[in-house]
Every structure is written in structure tokens, then in C-alpha cells.
């Protein structure tokens, strides 16, 4: 799907000779799938530093840097596995690269870990000075391109370093919520696509009707692991009306039991509070839609909570209704199942455009339900979701392209990566997914390493000040905006034939049909999309694009210019 396996098999690519560096919470370099070493001869980890130590709590607390960026948060180790995993459970995108980890987060206290902009800048500067060719940044907050960290990373691209950055996980908050530094110029901002299979932790449930190992979702929002190493009673939450929703308190005592509820109209936060108040030590929520979801929980909820698929929920309910049942869940139990949402954009992936109307994200990669490494003392492996995991996937792809084309500039590498992606389809209406949702589409590194044509610029944004000004009105009241696209045939021997086409994509808005801002779109975690599904489309409302020289023949080494006109009526 992403072309990684094909590129590895056909061209022997694994990232060898490329320095890939990660600015994050550190890495458990003792993990056997990450090399089990630190800066020794033959070790994949040869670069990096700890800039703050375990106990940093912000301004006023001392920094305790060291040469060993050991991860106590878990995030950096999970990110590292996506690029550097050596198997057998986690296979990274570029396992043959040389790696660096620049630790910029302290150990968590009460769920919070600390850093600041000066530490981030120190890490980026050190990564550049150490000779990093690719830097991954899976962190950020909604912001502007002028963010100091982002501006510095942007200058590194001009100096030959590719930077991949997570676009953020605020997709449910609507448009223009992409994170800084991903919105900064020159960075490769990355959105998330749903994985094709979900490998994750599992629980084995034993009932009078039989035993089954069932895949479970990621841990709930309170980050409490769903771990029950010995047989633990599992029961149904019995509503007063005979249901199993757990939406209203009852007089039942569930002390010492994991409680099963159906996903319902009431929030999972309410279910978690009620189950905990009635003695439950864990909660399983049976999903009412395909796949999994991550449970939101209130701050005071301390019990673990996960979801299971609806089809597994039927087994659980039928079994428990027949008599006493138990479960076991530990870090060593996992399950792999096909994803019903494979290849679709992840709901959490943040939308662009940037505050300056630039295109973000620029590209997308798998980032949901990613099975990867975590510190050994946290269970060694875990499934997690977020653009924090799609970004290192792209960083690994960039390493493969740099290995294939070592003389290309960082900008050229980015252009090839972006223009080789596969556009995604919005299944609601069968139009292309809006670029401000997915960028150029799903990464295809196999296409990138076989690319023979270099396109500049690789995209056209709606920030017209960066491209062209509209023409004056003609005698028919029409204006046009012109764009110049250069196509270079990089093959020294073969000619290339290029044909340009264009297709409409889904448009999004947070305004109703009368032009009023409608907050209910966000509350329902949707945005009004145009065109709606199963509708006929008035062609006069589709953007009009005119390409007078849409087909051209390009000789080896030649650059040909294409003009594109956007007609404004």
C-alpha cells in the first residue's frame, strides 16, 4: 500500500548510510528490537543526547543533562520503533539507517511531562551539528509558522536536512487546527491514515460457553494499562431496565470485577465514573460501530478502560449470561485483526490549511493502531494511534529515498515524496479527499524511488500571495489566476510523456447552508461536506481549470513548462 516492502525488495533499500534523528522523549535503547545498545561499535544508535534529565519541571527547576537519553515516558520509544524496528514483532521503515535520539521531555508526574522552546532549539541545533540527514518531530501545539522552533527547523531544510512533523490530533475540532512546527515552511507535515490491520493487546475471556482471546483497543484517555495478570471476574453492568449500558447508577456492587457495558448515547466518561463508583476495577465497552475507539475518561477515573468489537461483544454477553466468567490480560497477549477502516483518513488527524492558508498536511501515512516498541519496563510493545506515528513513517520513507538518490537536495527529496503519493477517495461521495485533509494522499515510496520526473512546485495552495495575482476582469466578467509548473525529466536516457488532468475533491465547511457558523458540526465530530453523497453535481459550481498544453513530450534532462489557469467566475 505504501510501497515500502517493494522498495526494499526491488532496490535493496533499508536506509543504510542515512542519519535519521528523532527529537522526542528519549528511547529505551536496551530494547532488543531497537538494537539493545547505545553508541557502541556496530550499534544503530550513534547520535543523541539527553538535554534535561528525569526531574525537570519547567522554569525554576534545574536541568540535569546526560549522554544517555533513556525514555521514561514511552512516546519516543514508540516513535523509534516505526523507523528503526528490527523484528520480529516490529519492522521499521528504515532499519538500516544510523539513528540519533535527542531527549527533550522529562519523566511524567501526575500525567504531565515537561519541556520548553529553548530545549527544543538546543536539540535541533545539536541534531544538525551531528550530521543528521532526516529529523522527525512528533510534537507540537496549534500555532503559527513563525514559531521559533519551526523557523529554525525550516532553515535546516535549506541546509540539506529533511524534517518530518506530525500535523496533530485535533481533527474533531474542525478546520485550521494543524500543529506547529508542522505548519512551518519547508517541513513535511504528515497526516494519519488508518492501518490495514490492527495488532494490539488482547484479553482472554473464559465463560461457560467457551474461551476466546479478543483484541482490545488502546488504553483509555487516562493512560491506565488494561492489565489483569491472573483470572479476574468479569461481569455485565445490569441496568434497572434490563440493558447493559451503565449510563445510570444502580445498587449493584461490582467490587473486584471488570465490568462490561455497551457503548451507548451517554458519554464513556459517565460510564467510567459509574462503574468505578460501584466498585469496578476495569471497564470493557462493546463498540456499536465497526472497529475500535479510544475511551474518553474523566480526570478522576483511575480504572483501565478499553473497547472491543461488536462481534466479540456478542460472545462476551452470551458467555457471561450463562454463568461465572473470568479474564486475563497482560503485555504478552496480542491479537491481529483486519481493520474495517483500512486506508481511510483517521478521524483524529488534524485539518489544514495553516493560519497562512498554506497546504498542510503535505502527505499522509499509516498512524492509527500502530504496533510498536515501548520501554521494556512498560511492556515492550503497545498499539497506539496519532500523527506522532505517521510522521516517523514518513521520516523512514525519506531515508529510503535519500539512500536511493544521495545527490538530491532536501527540497528535491520532499518534492518527489509529495508528488508520488496516491490520492485518497472520500467514500461518502467518491470524490478525492480534500488536500487540506490528506495532503497529496497516501505515501508511495516505491513510486518515489522510481520517479523520473521532478515537479516544481509540488503543490499549489490557496495563499495566492505565494503564487500569482488574479487577472483583471475581461469583457465577459471573468478573471483568471495563472500558475507555472515545471516538469524536469531526470532520466539521462529515456524520454517522458506527461499529461495533466484534474479532478474535484470534497470541500469542507463549518457553516450551514445560510452561511452561519454551526458549532453542532463539531459536536457531532463531522463537518458539512460538499458535494453530498449520492447527489448530482452542478458543473458550474465545480472549480474551472484550464490547461492549454496539458500533454507534452519531455526529452532526457529537459525541463518543460506547463501553464494552468484557474477561472474565477
Amino acid at each position: 500500500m505504501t510501497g515500502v516492502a517493494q522498495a526494499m525488495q526491488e532496490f535493496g533499500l533499508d536506509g543504510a548510510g542515512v542519519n535519521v534523528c528523532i527529537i522526542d522523549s528519549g528511547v529505551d535503547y536496551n530494547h532488543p528490537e531497537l538494537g539493545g545498545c547505545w553508541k557502541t561499535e556496530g550499534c544503530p544508535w550513534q547520535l543523541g543526547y539527553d538535554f534535561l534529565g528525569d526531574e525537570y519541571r519547567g522554569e525554576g527547576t534545574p536541568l540535569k543533562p546526560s549522554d544517555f537519553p533513556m525514555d521514561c515516558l514511552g512516546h519516543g520509544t514508540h516513535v523509534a520503533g516505526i523507523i528503526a524496528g528490527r523484528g520480529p514483532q516490529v519492522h521499521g521503515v528504515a532499519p538500516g539507517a544510523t539513528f540519533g535520539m535527542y531527549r527533550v521531555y522529562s519523566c511524567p508526574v501526575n500525567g504531565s511531562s515537561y519541556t520548553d522552546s529553548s530545549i527544543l532549539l538546543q536539540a535541533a541545533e545539536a541534531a544538525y551539528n551531528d550530521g543528521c540527514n532526516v529529523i522527525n518531530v512528533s510534537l507540537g501545539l496549534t500555532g503559527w509558522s513563525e514559531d521559533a522552533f519551526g523557523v529554525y527547523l525550516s532553515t535546516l531544510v535549506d541546509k540539506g536536512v529533511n524534517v518530518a512533523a506530525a500535523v496533530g490530533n485535533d481533527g474533531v475540532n474542525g478546520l485550521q487546527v494543524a500543529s506547529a512546527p508542522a505548519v512551518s515552511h519547508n517541513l513535511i507535515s504528515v497526516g494519519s491514515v488508518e492501518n490495514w490491520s490492527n495488532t494490539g493487546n488482547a484479553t482472554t475471556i473464559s465463560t461457560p460457553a467457551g474461551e476466546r482471546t479478543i483484541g482490545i483497543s488502546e488504553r483509555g484517555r487516562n493512560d491506565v494499562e488494561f492489565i489483569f495478570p491472573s483470572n479476574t471476574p468479569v461481569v455485565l453492568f445490569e441496568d434497572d431496565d434490563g440493558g447493559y449500558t451503565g449510563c445510570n447508577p444502580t445498587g449493584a456492587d461490582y467490587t473486584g470485577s471488570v465490568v462490561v457495558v455497551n457503548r451507548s448515547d451517554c458519554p464513556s466518561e459517565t460510564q467510567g465514573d459509574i462503574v468505578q463508583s460501584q466498585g469496578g476495577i476495569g471497564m470493557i465497552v462493546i463498540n456499536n460501530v465497526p472497529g475500535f475507539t479510544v475511551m474518553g475518561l474523566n480526570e478522576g477515573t483511575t480504572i483501565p478502560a478499553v473497547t472491543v468489537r461488536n462481534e466479540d461483544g456478542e460472545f462476551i454477553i452470551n458467555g457471561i449470561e450463562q454463568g461465572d466468567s473470568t479474564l486475563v490480560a497482560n503485555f504478552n497477549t496480542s491479537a491481529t485483526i483486519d481493520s474495517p477502516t483500512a486506508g481511510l483518513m483517521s478521524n483524529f488527524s488534524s485539518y489544514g490549511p495553516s493560519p497562512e492558508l498554506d497546504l498542510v498536511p503535505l502527505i499522509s501515512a499509516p498512524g492509527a493502531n500502530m504496533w510498536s516498541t515501548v520501554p521494556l519496563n512498560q511492556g515492550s510493545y503497545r498499539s497506539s494511534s496519532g500523527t506522532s506515528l505517521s510522521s516517523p513513517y514518513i521520516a523512514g520513507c525519506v531515508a529510503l529515498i535519500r539512500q536511493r538518490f544521495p545527490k538530491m537536495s532536501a527540497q528535491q527529496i520532499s518534492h518527489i515524496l509529495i508528488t508520488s503519493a496516491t490520492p485518497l477517495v472520500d467514500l461518502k461521495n467518491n470524490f478525492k479527499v480534500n488536500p487540506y485533509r490528506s495532503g497529496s494522499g497516501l505515501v508511495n515510496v516505491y513510486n518515489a524511488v522510481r520517479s523520473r520526473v521532478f515537479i516544481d512546485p509540488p503543490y499549489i495552495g490557496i495563499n495566492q500571495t505565494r503564487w500569482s495575482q488574479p487577472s483583471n476582469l475581461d469583457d465577459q466578467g471573468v478573471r483568471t489566476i495563472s500558475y507555472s509548473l515545471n516538469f524536469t525529466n531526470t532520466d539521462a536516457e529515456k524520454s517522458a510523456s506527461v499529461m495533466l488532468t484534474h479532478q474535484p475533491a470534497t470541500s469542507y465547511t463549518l457553516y450551514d447552508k445560510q452561511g452561519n457558523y454551526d458549532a453542532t458540526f463539531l459536536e457531532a465530530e463531522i463537518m458539512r461536506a460538499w458535494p453530498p453523497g449520492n447527489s448530482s453535481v452542478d458543473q458550474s459550481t465545480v472549480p474551472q481549470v484550464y490547461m492549454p498544453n496539458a500533454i507534452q513530450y519531455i526529452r532526457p534532462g529537459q525541463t518543460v513548462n506547463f501553464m494552468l489557469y484557474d477561472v474565477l467566475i
Side-chain angles (χ1 to χ4, degrees):
M1 302 297 181
T2 62
V4 170
Q6 289 173 288
M8 288 180 165
Q9 293 167 7
E10 186 168 326
F11 297 99
L13 302 176
D14 63 358
V18 181
N19 292 340
V20 179
C21 299
I22 304 166
I23 298 176
D24 214 293
S25 66
V27 61
D28 186 349
Y29 41 79
N30 293 320
H31 200 297
E33 295 207 29
L34 298 177
C37 56
W38 180 253
K39 291 188 178 181
T40 55
E41 184 177 354
C43 180
W45 298 94
Q46 292 293 330
L47 308 169
Y49 190 68
D50 178 355
F51 288 87
L52 72 177
D54 294 349
E55 300 174 3
Y56 180 70
R57 300 291 176 262
E59 293 184 11
T61 56
L63 295 170
K64 298 180 181 180
S66 80
D67 293 325
F68 301 95
M70 179 55 72
D71 185 14
C72 52
L73 185 62
H75 188 272
T77 303
H78 205 279
V79 166
I82 303 297
I83 317 173
R86 298 185 161 204
Q89 290 204 42
V90 178
H91 298 275
V93 178
T98 298
F99 296 100
M101 175 58 74
Y102 298 80
R103 184 188 178 199
V104 294
Y105 282 99
S106 61
C107 292
V109 174
N110 297 324
S112 297
S113 188
Y114 295 83
T115 189
D116 63 42
S117 58
S118 64
I119 294 172
L120 297 175
L121 287 166
Q122 288 180 62
E125 183 178 26
Y128 172 69
N129 290 335
D130 286 347
C132 296
N133 308 119
V134 184
I135 296 176
N136 181 76
V137 184
S138 291
L139 52 88
L141 296 171
T142 302
W144 291 76
S145 64
E146 290 83 359
D147 168 83
F149 183 45
V151 170
Y152 184 80
L153 291 173
S154 182
T155 65
L156 296 188
V157 180
D158 294 330
K159 295 177 180 293
V161 181
N162 287 108
V163 181
V167 77
N169 303 322
D170 294 315
V172 296
N173 293 327
L175 299 170
Q176 289 190 279
V177 292
S179 295
V183 296
S184 293
H185 305 309
N186 296 329
L187 274 61
I188 305 172
S189 51
V190 187
S192 172
V193 168
E194 294 290 296
N195 209 341
W196 279 261
S197 62
N198 297 337
T199 299
N201 293 111
T203 179
T204 300
I205 296 182
S206 301
T207 76
E211 181 178 283
R212 180 183 293 185
T213 297
I214 293 173
I216 58 178
S217 71
E218 300 168 35
R219 57 192 179 181
R221 297 297 184 195
N222 60 356
D223 289 338
V224 179
E225 299 286 359
F226 193 85
I227 298 297
F228 298 95
S230 58
N231 286 328
T232 302
V234 55
V235 300
L236 298 171
F237 189 105
E238 297 186 13
D239 301 330
D240 290 337
D241 62 3
Y244 303 127
T245 67
C247 289
N248 295 290
T250 67
D253 181 4
Y254 298 120
T255 300
S257 297
V258 174
V259 181
V260 178
V261 299
N262 280 316
R263 190 176 180 186
S264 185
D265 293 335
C266 70
S268 59
E269 290 85 350
T270 299
Q271 293 171 307
D273 286 349
I274 291 173
V275 167
Q276 179 171 283
S277 69
Q278 294 186 209
I281 58 174
M283 181 173 72
I284 294 175
V285 180
I286 299 172
N287 210 358
N288 56 4
V289 295
F292 300 106
T293 189
V294 178
M295 288 291 95
L297 297 168
N298 287 324
E299 187 173 339
T301 304
T302 58
I303 62 173
V306 294
T307 59
V308 297
R309 297 180 301 165
N310 184 265
E311 53 265 43
D312 290 323
E314 293 178 4
F315 166 81
I316 295 172
I317 291 176
N318 292 335
I320 296 177
E321 286 180 337
Q322 295 185 36
D324 293 344
S325 303
T326 60
L327 66 75
V328 173
N330 54 56
F331 286 126
N332 299 322
T333 305
S334 63
T336 300
I337 59 175
D338 292 335
S339 171
T341 55
L344 303 180
M345 288 301 298
S346 303
N347 289 336
F348 57 77
S349 189
S350 291
Y351 290 77
S354 76
E356 296 165 315
L357 302 184
D358 282 325
L359 179 63
V360 289
L362 290 178
I363 197 167
S364 296
N369 297 299
M370 302 293 281
W371 184 250
S372 187
T373 49
V374 294
L376 298 176
N377 62 6
Q378 295 181 21
S380 301
Y381 306 96
R382 181 187 303 141
S383 179
S384 294
S385 298
T387 56
S388 282
L389 308 175
S390 53
S391 182
Y393 199 101
I394 290 296
C397 290
V398 170
L400 300 183
I401 301 172
R402 291 191 73 122
Q403 182 185 6
R404 173 74 170 161
F405 302 119
K407 294 183 180 180
M408 279 193 177
S409 68
Q411 290 283 18
Q412 289 174 319
I413 295 289
S414 296
H415 287 197
I416 287 177
L417 178 80
I418 295 165
T419 57
S420 299
T422 303
L424 297 170
V425 175
D426 188 334
L427 297 183
K428 296 183 180 69
N429 51 35
N430 291 322
F431 278 66
K432 300 299 182 185
V433 174
N434 191 295
Y436 291 107
R437 177 74 163 134
S438 66
S440 57
L442 177 65
V443 62
N444 191 319
V445 74
Y446 182 65
N447 284 349
V449 298
R450 295 186 305 144
S451 176
R452 296 172 50 215
V453 176
F454 177 74
I455 306 171
D456 185 42
Y459 69 91
I460 297 171
I462 59 176
N463 180 353
Q464 301 300 345
T465 60
R466 296 190 65 195
W467 307 103
S468 172
Q469 293 297 323
S471 67
N472 294 324
L473 291 172
D474 64 13
D475 56 4
Q476 296 184 7
V478 174
R479 294 184 300 165
T480 60
I481 300 176
S482 62
Y483 305 96
S484 177
L485 303 175
N486 292 317
F487 285 67
T488 301
N489 183 359
T490 58
D491 196 308
E493 299 178 355
K494 298 179 181 178
S495 297
S497 179
V498 175
M499 179 176 68
L500 296 187
T501 62
H502 65 93
Q503 296 177 316
T506 299
S507 295
Y508 296 113
T509 180
L510 288 174
Y511 292 82
D512 63 21
K513 294 179 180 179
Q514 288 72 45
N516 301 310
Y517 180 79
D518 191 341
T520 61
F521 292 145
L522 292 181
E523 293 169 2
E525 297 187 4
I526 61 170
M527 287 186 287
R528 190 162 66 90
W530 186 94
N534 304 317
S535 68
S536 59
V537 177
D538 182 353
Q539 291 300 309
S540 68
T541 62
V542 174
Q544 304 298 303
V545 179
Y546 170 58
M547 296 174 288
N549 54 348
I551 302 177
Q552 295 199 55
Y553 184 77
I554 311 177
R555 296 191 301 272
Q558 182 187 22
T559 297
V560 170
N561 177 260
F562 288 76
M563 292 303 296
L564 183 150
Y565 297 90
D566 187 4
V567 181
L568 307 177
I569 300 175

